[in-house]
Amino acid sequence: MGQTGGSGDIFSLLVPIAAMLVFMYFLVFRPQQQRVKAHQALIANVRRGDVVVTSGGIIGKVTKTDDLEVQIEIAEGVKIRVVKSTLADVRTKTEPVPANTNSPS
């Protein structure tokens, strides 16, 4: 009785699986990595005067930035501190606010 080699069968099964992995990389993983990098760059460039949205849905204007936190004014005289990583979106990018805003014009 003759036995045939099984290596051809395994190879024919691995090719479609490898093709699916490559397909998923280009359709799922790579775009997700690009979105994460773009979001990180957006959050890193938050400045005073920008209007931001937190992941909880709070909309406010950035009044102070730090390495890990930002202070957001959500109403006149009402300021909250949030962690930068919880910012979901930057609605309005503004020109940098001068550091000394109390100088007479």
Side-chain angles (χ1 to χ4, degrees):
M1 294 191 195
Q3 292 182 347
T4 60
S7 64
D9 294 334
I10 292 174
F11 183 73
S12 66
L13 291 176
L14 289 179
V15 170
I17 292 173
M20 285 176 41
L21 289 175
V22 169
F23 184 72
M24 285 190 59
Y25 173 77
F26 283 107
L27 286 181
V28 178
F29 300 123
R30 190 165 182 258
Q32 177 64 25
Q33 289 172 346
Q34 290 174 340
R35 281 191 296 271
V36 168
K37 285 182 184 178
H39 184 259
Q40 287 174 345
L42 185 71
I43 298 306
N45 293 323
V46 169
R47 298 183 287 202
R48 285 180 53 203
D50 291 347
V51 176
V52 295
V53 180
T54 67
S55 60
I58 297 172
I59 301 172
K61 184 182 269 190
V62 175
T63 59
K64 183 178 174 184
T65 62
D66 196 356
D67 289 339
L68 299 175
E69 296 178 349
V70 292
Q71 186 176 45
I72 301 172
E73 184 174 22
I74 56 176
E76 192 171 326
V78 180
K79 296 178 182 178
I80 60 172
R81 288 183 2 203
V82 295
V83 178
K84 270 189 177 182
S85 63
T86 63
L87 296 179
D89 191 19
V90 177
R91 290 245 174 125
T92 307
K93 292 293 286 180
T94 60
E95 294 299 318
V97 176
N100 188 4
T101 58
N102 296 332
S103 63
S105 301

